[in-house]
Amino acid sequence: MNGKKTEPPKPRDLLARPWHDLRISVMDRCNFRCPYCMPQSVFHDDFAFLESGQRLEFSAIERVARISARLGVTKLRLTGGEPLLRPDLTALIHRLTALPGIDDVALTTNGVLLDRHLNTLHDAGLSRLTISLDSLDPVVFEHMSGGRDKLGAVLTAIDNAAKRGFPGGIKINAMIQRDVNEGDILPLVSRFRNTGITLRFIEFMDVGTRNHWRQSAVVPSAIILQRINALYPVEPLAPLYRGEVAQRYRFTDGGGEIGFISSVTAPFCGDCSRARLSSDGQIYTCLFATTGTDLRPALTSPDDEALEALLRRIWQGRADRYSEIRNPEPQPDSGERIEMYYIGG
Ligand code: SAM
Ligand code: SF4
Ligand code: SF4
């Protein structure tokens, strides 16, 4: 015996998948009402969002992240709702980037409040920034933000973020819906080619149960790719790592990269290494989950070993592969799926 404690092996789920990513919803509220995520008719002025005291404090989020890192998590993504509505978010980022084992902290934002926070986010150690932008057309943007508009503020923030630079780069997420913003595909590509910013197209997904999802509104990535390729030829790139969500392509003329997140037409559950933590402390092992596990009882005790054992059990019991099962046949609803604003995108 050399007296050294041997580390238990990192957990694998029931499909032998390791756990690498934790997405943390720091805020359930949002300053947009994108109809495909938080339609105004449901998320109206009287909607019962969490009270601030119900949201996990930074110390609890940090603790879950620290213990997740012991189990194999290396990447964190802060999301929501709109994460920049959470007061003092950069203080949390500071704490998370300092955690042993965590080598990448990213943020997904609608960009409205981004410009004023760029320097502090950068200085807190944020590695990667993803900004959602579904349209460059003011009328379409207004519709897709649920009448909130702010296209000018988002574009300014994107330009200034590009000047500021983030070590892991900047991405734009564009969710394309049939007959809504299909006309934006080529303008978005033209705008972000040759800028160093990676544009990614996301298929409209059946997350939650309140966004009126229907298969006919999905524009398959293959169609988007065809349209882009006809104007700006592209070639596929090999995945950078196992479990990469986006299929990546590069412009053959050296204009940079684009990506496709094709949860509906080309599911990627086989390598899915993500769990999600809601702002009130529930953990979910799939974006399409109907139930999660409440971490709050374990968080009220200072016993880190017990929290680690609980997280290990949760990951080891995971068998989720919703997108693979849904594709090609949409499944009958098996229950209320958790909404994306709550679980985090
Ligand atoms: N509010 C932030 C934002 O919009 O970037 C972060 C949270 S939002 C839920 C994260 C991402 O989820 C956004 O890029 C959004 O476009 C995407 N999203 C939301 N609902 C979706 C849906 N039904 N299908 C596909 N993507 C969706
Ligand atoms: Fe808000 Fe993002 Fe959902 Fe739009 S996609 S409503 S910005 S959380
Ligand atoms: Fe992962 Fe669930 Fe999405 Fe499949 S459907 S990739 S298991 S989050």
Side-chain angles (χ1 to χ4, degrees):
M1 291 272 284
N2 60 11
K4 263 196 188 164
K5 205 175 150 194
T6 31
E7 290 278 323
K10 308 283 187 241
R12 297 263 172 167
D13 72 8
L14 294 169
L15 302 175
R17 297 168 296 190
W19 183 19
H20 290 320
D21 301 62
L22 179 63
R23 298 192 171 197
I24 304 171
S25 173
V26 290
M27 173 52 89
D28 55 324
R29 290 173 186 263
C30 188
N31 43 4
F32 273 7
R33 286 293 178 275
C34 307
Y36 56 83
C37 178
M38 296 178 77
Q40 175 71 38
S41 55
V42 177
F43 298 93
H44 43 67
D45 292 349
D46 298 324
F47 185 83
F49 288 102
L50 298 172
E51 299 295 332
S52 55
Q54 293 174 291
R55 293 191 194 101
L56 288 188
E57 291 177 358
F58 287 172
S59 53
I61 295 176
E62 180 187 357
R63 187 166 163 224
V64 175
R66 177 167 51 78
I67 291 179
S68 304
R70 288 195 209 161
L71 297 172
V73 169
T74 56
K75 294 165 74 174
L76 304 175
R77 177 171 293 278
L78 303 181
T79 175
E82 176 45 45
L84 290 175
L85 287 177
R86 179 80 190 238
D88 214 10
L89 187 70
T90 46
L92 176 65
I93 294 173
H94 253 297
R95 292 163 80 151
L96 297 177
T97 52
L99 290 175
I102 297 298
D103 48 44
D104 188 287
V105 179
L107 174 75
T108 306
T109 171
N110 62 25
V112 174
L113 302 172
L114 179 61
D115 201 37
R116 70 188 76 161
H117 294 296
L118 275 174
N119 287 340
T120 46
L121 288 169
H122 180 272
D123 296 348
L126 189 76
S127 353
R128 289 179 300 128
L129 185 58
T130 300
I131 304 157
S132 302
L133 175 67
D134 298 328
S135 181
L136 292 167
D137 176 321
V139 175
V140 179
F141 187 91
E142 168 137 25
H143 167 75
M144 293 199 80
S145 61
R148 302 298 165 109
D149 201 359
K150 288 285 186 260
L151 178 58
V154 177
L155 294 177
T156 302
I158 293 172
D159 287 347
N160 288 337
K163 282 185 206 139
R164 168 78 271 189
F166 282 82
I170 299 167
K171 295 194 178 73
I172 302 293
N173 274 358
M175 206 283 305
I176 303 296
Q177 247 181 308
R178 188 173 307 286
D179 298 333
V180 179
N181 64 337
E182 278 178 278
D184 268 289
I185 296 170
L186 294 177
L188 282 165
V189 172
S190 307
R191 175 148 187 143
F192 293 110
R193 262 168 53 81
N194 296 309
T195 61
I197 294 176
T198 302
L199 175 63
R200 301 190 310 174
F201 291 99
I202 308 181
E203 287 178 344
F204 180 32
M205 294 185 284
D206 48 340
V207 273
T209 43
R210 298 171 185 182
N211 65 0
H212 306 293
W213 184 86
R214 64 228 171 272
Q215 183 90 41
S216 59
V218 178
V219 184
S221 293
I223 303 278
I224 301 177
L225 176 64
Q226 250 173 27
R227 290 187 197 167
I228 297 170
N229 193 44
L231 194 62
Y232 303 113
V234 291
E235 58 192 15
L237 288 167
L240 285 174
Y241 53 90
R242 204 176 158 214
E244 192 172 35
V245 170
Q247 295 157 307
R248 297 180 309 120
Y249 289 77
R250 74 165 163 229
F251 296 107
T252 53
D253 67 358
E257 268 186 35
I258 49 171
F260 296 89
I261 301 177
S262 320
S263 164
V264 179
T265 62
F268 36 81
C269 301
D271 284 332
C272 178
S273 57
R274 291 176 293 284
R276 291 173 159 84
L277 179 66
S278 74
S279 25
D280 62 348
Q282 310 286 319
I283 197 147
Y284 297 90
T285 54
C286 180
L287 179 56
F288 299 91
T290 52
T291 53
T293 305
D294 190 355
L295 296 185
R296 284 171 303 185
L299 286 168
T300 53
S301 147
D303 184 353
D304 279 353
E305 303 299 318
L307 181 58
E308 181 174 335
L310 174 62
L311 289 169
R312 179 181 287 277
R313 267 201 313 280
I314 292 168
W315 190 262
Q316 285 174 333
R318 173 186 194 246
D320 304 278
R321 47 189 288 268
Y322 175 87
S323 295
E324 284 182 350
I325 295 167
R326 173 238 285 128
N327 186 49
E329 286 301 315
Q331 299 293 300
D333 266 346
S334 54
E336 282 263 297
R337 288 190 296 275
I338 303 302
E339 296 297 321
M340 197 155 180
Y341 81 94
Y342 170 73
I343 197 177

